[in-house]
């Protein structure tokens, strides 16, 4: 009796759910061998390879999946992600076109502005969610200053998934959270943490303005950081999380993104020059 491709594909799914990735890959490849014209095991294998960051292999598998199922939007989207990961812009542009997206003409990486969205860094571990500007369907540049423990920096370019994994509110509208898959380009900016005493949030807004004018960025971690349970982070946050703020509004923990220490010194000096009552208690480098 010949092998059953449906049974082999389902075996692969079950093994993948258990985290037995090598065994799942074998089952999917056996399903493909049993029926090379069936697109589903190709799609599932491509997904497995994607989450292992095996981009050239994932790209090849999704090319075959889209050949077999030319109207499968999910396969085209994942083809676009894999093509973006390896810098195959011809294929990426073709994939986005087949997904019905309007992409500016050209031959290199698409330069779009899909607005600011939440990006979940390290989704398999701590899952910090920051804000990033999408510059095409699979790339975003981080606009928040991430915690140093995340391994990411302000202005890193990241490759992100296309399926929503939770939601946040921005300007009164619900926007999807996208999981980061990997960093594509590392930012030259490092992160300094600063502890200061201020009179009001308006004092920090001056720091933010001066940091931006000085070519960096500042973020008030006392008001922008909210700890969420996993269910809320990957769904819709409960209202109670919106009130989880620091009780001490005078002591400011904030982050400054800058190219070097001299730039941080200039920003802080300009802040104290504008607001002499500010007390900078300490600052330290938190990323190399």
């Amino acid at each position: 009796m010949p092998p059953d491709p449906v049974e082999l594909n389902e075996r692969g799914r079950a093994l993948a759910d258990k985290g037995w990735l090598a065994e799942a890959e074998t089952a999917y490849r056996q399903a493909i061998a049993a029926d090379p014209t069936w697109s589903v095991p190709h799609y599932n294998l491509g997904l497995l390879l994607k989450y292992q960051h095996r981009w050239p292999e994932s790209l090849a598998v999704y090319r075959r999946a889209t050949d077999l199922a030319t109207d499968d939007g999910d396969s085209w989207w994942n083809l676009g992600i894999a093509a973006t990961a390896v810098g195959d812009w011809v294929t990426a542009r073709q994939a986005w076109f087949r997904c019905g997206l309007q992409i500016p003409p050209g031959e290199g990486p698409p330069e779009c502005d899909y607005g600011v969205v939440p990006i979940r860094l390290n989704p398999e571990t701590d899952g910090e969610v920051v804000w990033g500007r999408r510059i095409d369907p699979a790339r975003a540049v981080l606009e928040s200053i991430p915690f140093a423990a995340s391994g990411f920096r302000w202005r890193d370019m990241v490759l992100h998934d296309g399926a929503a994994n939770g939601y946040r509110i921005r300007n009164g509208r619900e926007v999807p959270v996208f999981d980061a898959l990997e960093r594509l380009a590392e930012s030259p900016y490092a992160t300094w943490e600063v502890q200061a005493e201020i009179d009001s949030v308006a004092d920090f807004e001056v720091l933010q303005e001066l940091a931006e004018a000085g070519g960096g960025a500042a973020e008030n971690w006392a008001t922008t950081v909210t700890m969420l349970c996993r269910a809320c982070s990957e769904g819709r946050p409960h209202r109670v999380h919106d009130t989880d703020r620091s009780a001490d509004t005078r002591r400011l923990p904030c982050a400054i993104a800058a190219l070097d220490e001299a730039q941080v010194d200039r920003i802080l000096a300009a802040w104290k020059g504008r607001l002499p009552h500010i007390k900078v208690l300490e600052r330290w480098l938190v990323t190399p």
Side-chain angles (χ1 to χ4, degrees), residues 140-161:
V141 175
L142 302 186
E143 293 205 337
S144 298
I145 303 177
F147 287 135
S150 73
F152 289 85
R153 304 178 177 202
W154 182 63
R155 292 280 176 89
D156 276 349
M157 182 189 296
V158 300
L159 180 72
H160 66 78
D161 217 341

Side-chain angles (χ1 to χ4, degrees), residues 44-210:
N44 289 332
L45 176 60
L47 205 64
L48 191 77
L49 297 169
K50 177 178 83 168
Y51 289 123
Q52 295 179 73
H53 301 179
R54 293 163 60 182
W55 298 115
E57 294 170 87
S58 183
L59 179 66
V61 170
Y62 275 119
R63 282 187 195 278
R64 182 57 180 156
T66 55
D67 286 343
L68 294 171
T70 58
D71 59 347
D72 182 3
D74 289 342
S75 288
W76 281 110
W77 197 283
N78 281 304
L79 177 64
I81 291 174
T84 299
V86 302
D88 180 349
W89 303 117
V90 172
T91 301
R93 286 173 174 275
Q94 179 191 21
W96 304 139
F97 174 78
R98 293 301 299 261
C99 290
L101 301 178
Q102 297 296 319
I103 298 295
E107 296 182 353
E111 298 297 335
C112 313
D113 185 357
Y114 288 165
V116 176
V117 297
I119 302 290
R120 179 178 290 104
L121 308 176
N122 304 316
E124 298 301 321
T125 55
D126 55 342
E128 178 184 355
V129 176
V130 299
W131 293 93
R133 182 168 295 279
R134 291 180 79 196
I135 59 173
D136 77 9
R139 294 181 299 152
V141 175
L142 302 186
E143 293 205 337
S144 298
I145 303 177
F147 287 135
S150 73
F152 289 85
R153 304 178 177 202
W154 182 63
R155 292 280 176 89
D156 276 349
M157 182 189 296
V158 300
L159 180 72
H160 66 78
D161 217 341
N165 189 14
Y167 296 88
R168 298 292 186 273
I169 300 297
R170 179 176 173 83
N171 298 330
R173 294 177 55 248
E174 193 173 66
V175 291
V177 179
F178 296 108
D179 287 347
L181 294 168
E182 68 179 32
R183 175 167 43 206
L184 292 175
E186 182 175 273
S187 164
Y189 289 86
T191 304
W192 277 260
E193 187 167 346
V194 176
Q195 290 284 340
E197 287 186 357
I198 62 174
D199 284 351
S200 70
V201 174
D203 291 344
F204 168 75
E205 292 171 354
V206 173
L207 174 62
Q208 194 169 37
E209 171 194 329
L210 292 168

